[in-house]
Amino acid sequence: MAALARAFSSEASSPLAQAVRDFLGHLARRGASVNTIAAYRGDLEQLAYFVETRQTGGSYSTVDRAAIEQFVAGLKESGYRDASIARKLAAARSFFVFLANEGALSADPTAGYAGPRVARVLPRAVGAKEIARLLQQPARRSTPEAKRDRAMLELLYATGMRVSELVSLDIENIYLEGKRPFVRCPGRRDDARDVPITRRCYDALVDYLESARPLMARNGAERALFVNTRGGRMTRQGFWFVLKGYARAVGGGVKITPHTLRHSFAAHKLGGGESLRNVQQMLGHSAPSSTRIYSRLAGGGEG
C-alpha cells in the first residue's frame, strides 16, 4: 500500500489529490512543522490511493464509515502496527474534519469510529546523575565546538524546550542582563514564552557567546544563536549527531535522545516541587493533561 501511495502522489491531478494539497496548505498556515506536514502527506496518500482504486467514483465524497473500516482492515492485513494505524486514522480524521468545515463534505466519515486502541507510552526520563554526566562531557574540552555543545545541552535541560525550538533561536532570543536571565522560546505557532535559565546555563551561554561563537560564525550578519562548523544555523540533524557522541560517552546502557532532555527536565522540575502550571508554561503545553503525565515519572526521575 505504501509503494502504491507514492504512485498516487506522482499523479496529483484528481479532486482528491487537490483536497489533500489544500489540507496540507492549511496545516502550513497554522504553523505545523515540515516533519508534521510530511507525515500527514504520507498517511493521506495511502488513504487517497485506497479511495481512488477501491471506491466507486474515486472521490472523497464517496467515503463512508464502511470505507474507513475497510481501509483500516487493509492496513492490518499489510502488517501495520496498531500505533501506526491509529496515527493514519488520526490523519484521516483531521483531513475529513477540515473538508467538513470547508463545506466540501456533509459529515465526517470517521466520526464515532475509534479504531485500534493503543496504550499510552510514558515519556522516558533519565536520572539527574545521568544528566549530570552528559552535561560534563563537552565541559571537558575547550574547543569552540565543545563550548557550543555545552551551551546547547545546558539550555535544553534548563528550559525543556524542543530541539526544533533550540535550533530556531536567534541571538535576540537570549536575555542575559538583569537579575533573572531568560530565553524567549519562539514556540510552534508564534506563541513565544519566556523561560528562566539556571546559573550553569547562563555561564555556558556567556562562555559560548564571548569566546566561541565569534570564531564559528563566519558571517557577521548571521543571527542564529547556535551555528555549525560552516558558520550557518545548526540543524536538528546536526544537533542529533552532536548529542549521539556525548550520549555514548555517558555509558551504563543509558539511552539519551533529544526528547529525553525535555522529559527529564519536566520530571525533575515536578519532582523538585515546581507547580504543574509553571512546568506547563515552560514546556509550552496548551493543556495541563499533557504535562500531568510527567508527575508519574517525578518520583523516580531524580536518579
Side-chain angles (χ1 to χ4, degrees):
M1 189 179 286
L4 295 176
R6 287 191 288 272
F8 163 85
S9 177
S10 65
E11 295 173 6
S13 58
S14 67
L16 179 54
Q18 183 59 53
V20 170
R21 286 196 295 269
D22 291 344
F23 174 65
L24 297 177
H26 166 73
L27 293 179
R29 289 190 295 274
R30 292 188 60 189
S33 69
V34 173
N35 289 340
T36 296
I37 293 173
Y40 271 100
R41 178 182 290 111
D43 291 339
L44 292 177
E45 284 177 356
Q46 284 189 300
L47 173 66
Y49 178 81
F50 169 82
V51 172
E52 293 207 336
T53 57
R54 312 231 183 143
Q55 290 295 112
T56 302
S59 170
Y60 55 80
S61 61
T62 67
V63 180
D64 55 14
R65 171 70 172 270
I68 294 299
E69 292 175 347
Q70 292 171 13
F71 175 63
V72 171
L75 291 172
K76 290 182 177 179
E77 290 176 2
S78 297
Y80 283 91
R81 294 173 176 265
D82 285 347
S84 296
I85 295 174
R87 190 199 70 229
K88 294 176 187 298
L89 184 59
R93 182 174 291 110
S94 296
F95 174 60
F96 287 122
V97 167
F98 165 76
L99 292 178
N101 290 339
E102 293 291 305
L105 281 180
S106 59
D108 168 19
T110 66
Y113 180 59
R117 296 188 62 180
V118 181
R120 187 171 185 180
V121 179
L122 284 175
R124 187 177 183 276
V126 297
K129 292 181 180 179
E130 287 76 16
I131 293 294
R133 288 206 299 269
L134 174 70
L135 298 178
Q136 288 169 0
Q137 301 306 315
R140 293 174 177 174
R141 296 187 292 134
S142 59
T143 63
E145 291 80 8
K147 293 184 177 184
R148 176 205 60 195
D149 299 346
R150 177 190 171 210
M152 289 194 299
L153 294 177
E154 290 282 0
L155 186 56
L156 269 187
Y157 182 59
T159 63
M161 68 172 61
R162 304 172 181 90
V163 173
S164 58
E165 295 171 335
L166 176 82
V167 298
S168 69
L169 290 174
D170 291 331
I171 295 177
E172 293 81 5
N173 296 125
I174 300 295
Y175 296 81
L176 302 179
E177 303 297 331
K179 295 182 179 180
R180 297 198 57 174
F182 65 93
V183 57
R184 180 156 293 165
C185 186
R188 284 181 166 176
R189 299 178 182 174
D190 297 325
D191 51 349
R193 62 190 188 278
D194 294 346
V195 185
I197 61 176
T198 62
R199 181 68 195 190
R200 282 176 49 126
C201 180
Y202 170 88
D203 291 340
L205 282 169
V206 170
D207 188 27
Y208 165 66
L209 289 171
E210 291 184 351
S211 62
R213 189 182 182 281
L215 300 176
M216 300 182 69
R218 302 173 185 175
N219 183 353
E222 178 61 64
R223 305 313 299 165
L225 175 61
F226 295 113
V227 296
N228 55 34
T229 54
R230 297 182 301 278
R233 184 180 295 275
M234 172 67 68
T235 65
R236 291 176 59 187
Q237 293 79 7
F239 175 82
W240 176 231
F241 180 80
V242 167
L243 177 61
K244 283 198 295 186
Y246 293 121
R248 282 195 297 268
V250 172
V254 178
K255 183 178 180 181
I256 299 177
T257 69
H259 280 309
T260 302
L261 291 171
R262 179 171 166 85
H263 300 329
S264 301
F265 160 84
H268 297 174
K269 282 290 185 182
L270 290 172
E274 192 75 54
S275 72
L276 181 72
R277 177 61 178 167
N278 285 346
V279 176
Q280 177 190 342
Q281 291 177 334
M282 287 187 279
L283 291 173
H285 285 161
S286 58
S289 58
S290 298
T291 311
R292 192 171 292 114
I293 190 173
Y294 292 108
S295 298
R296 297 171 61 182
L297 305 178
E302 294 296 341

